[in-house]
């Protein structure tokens, strides 16, 4: 697959649309998020991605208890959590767990099923402070939905930095300009964030045929040949069939998450914490959770 071609003289990849997030709401008592996209919006356009929640920068006072979300199950996909500010702790019934802090990412593969909790860390709860987080749901192909759960803690210092002119990329997964991110993925995915250090335009190539989504966490950002504005917490989807370079224009200090992946082209049936291919598999997931087959937190 050609990913390194010089794009000089070619037309930038077309932007298919810009989409507004849903309203802000609490997830548990620890995460005040906007849901940027969700499976029912357009499962085909988003595939292999399912959902993106962004908890924008927010100050939390010290708390005598750990805020967050208590025990709940997942099956059929992966949750990828980016801690931008503050600390998150995760604990799951498959024995996975850990604390991630500023710049770190945890990649939790629920697959056949886990029960987990997601909380502010003890220290962050005691001290309070600024908190910002993203959680992305990545779908699994039908052949992997009932595989073993997996937990990957990925630290900020492990992410290769890729110089993209006015911006620097932190590469979490997949290939970008000859470098490779540390996350193991079940299908081909390239995932990175960009931080602009000056006003300017950056461009990079991603495989044609892949879904490519850009999400500005903050800052003035525009994309595509018409320099269409993508306001903060909105997202832009590029034309999958266009093989031009992805072009992003931004002002200093803008931060942008870039998600790219090969679409699965399988039916998506998403219900609450489960994402399967058929309604019958969702019913089975509820039964398996209720009968304890996804394990319990000790
Ligand atoms: Mn969860």
């Amino acid at each position: 697959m050609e990913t390194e071609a010089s794009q000089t003289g070619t037309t930038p990849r077309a932007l298919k649309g810009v989409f507004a997030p849903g309203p802000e709401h609490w997830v548990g008592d620890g995460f005040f998020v906007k849901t940027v996209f969700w499976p029912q919006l357009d499962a085909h356009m988003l595939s292999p991605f399912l959902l993106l929640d962004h908890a924008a920068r927010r100050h939390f006072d010290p708390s005598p208890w750990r805020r967050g979300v208590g025990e709940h199950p997942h099956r059929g996909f992966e949750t990828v959590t980016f801690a931008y500010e503050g600390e998150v702790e995760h604990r799951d019934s498959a024995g996975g767990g850990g604390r991630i802090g500023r710049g770190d990412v945890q990649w939790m593969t629920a697959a056949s099923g886990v029960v987990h909790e997601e909380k502010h860390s003890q220290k962050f709860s005691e001290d309070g402070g600024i908190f910002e987080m993203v959680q992305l749901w990545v779908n699994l192909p039908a052949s992997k939905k009932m595989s073993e759960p997996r937990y990957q803690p990925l630290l900020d210092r492990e992410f290769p930095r890729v110089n993209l002119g006015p911006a620097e990329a932190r590469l979490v997964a997949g290939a970008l300009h000859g470098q490779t991110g540390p996350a193991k993925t079940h299908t081909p995915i390239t995932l990175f964030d960009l931080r602009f250090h000056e006003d300017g335009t950056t461009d990079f190539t991603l495989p044609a045929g892949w879904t490519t989504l850009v999400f500005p966490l903050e800052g003035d950002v525009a994309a595509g040949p018409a320099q269409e504005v993508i306001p903060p917490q909105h997202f832009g989807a590029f034309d999958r069939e266009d093989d031009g370079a992805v072009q992003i224009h931004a002002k200093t200090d803008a931060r942008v998450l870039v998600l790219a992946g090969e679409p699965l082209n399988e039916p998506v049936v998403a219900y609450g914490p489960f994402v399967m291919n058929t309604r019958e598999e969702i019913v089975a997931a509820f039964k398996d959770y209720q009968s304890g087959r996804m394990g319990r937190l000790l």
Side-chain angles (χ1 to χ4, degrees), residues 72 74 116 118:
H72 62 279
H74 292 296
H116 76 160
E118 299 160 273

Side-chain angles (χ1 to χ4, degrees), residues 27 69-74 77 79 81 90 106 108 114-118 135 137 273:
V27 175
V69 193
E71 214 173 307
H72 62 279
H74 292 296
F77 64 100
T79 64
T81 307
H90 150 98
Q106 61 175 30
M108 200 275 296
V114 298
V115 173
H116 76 160
E117 64 170 26
E118 299 160 273
Q135 188 169 85
W137 291 13

Side-chain angles (χ1 to χ4, degrees), residues 150-163:
R150 181 164 79 184
Y151 178 76
Q152 301 176 68
L154 305 164
L155 302 180
D156 177 53
R157 62 171 181 267
E158 299 174 61
F159 302 133
R161 265 59 172 179
V162 182
N163 177 7

Side-chain angles (χ1 to χ4, degrees), residues 55-137:
R57 286 172 61 88
R58 178 186 183 86
H59 181 266
F60 282 89
D61 289 334
S63 167
W65 69 93
R66 291 168 60 222
R67 290 169 172 272
V69 193
E71 214 173 307
H72 62 279
H74 292 296
R75 171 181 281 179
F77 64 100
E78 307 181 285
T79 64
V80 183
T81 307
F82 298 73
Y84 282 103
E85 296 283 353
E87 289 183 337
V88 189
E89 266 172 30
H90 150 98
R91 204 158 63 87
D92 71 51
S93 56
R99 185 175 68 238
I100 55 165
R102 190 178 175 159
D104 303 335
V105 174
Q106 61 175 30
W107 199 299
M108 200 275 296
T109 306
S112 62
V114 298
V115 173
H116 76 160
E117 64 170 26
E118 299 160 273
K119 302 259 176 162
H120 295 183
S121 72
Q122 184 65 39
K123 183 171 189 312
F124 183 83
S125 302
E126 285 167 11
D127 295 350
I130 300 288
F131 190 87
E132 182 185 10
M133 190 210 67
V134 164
Q135 188 169 85
L136 169 69
W137 291 13

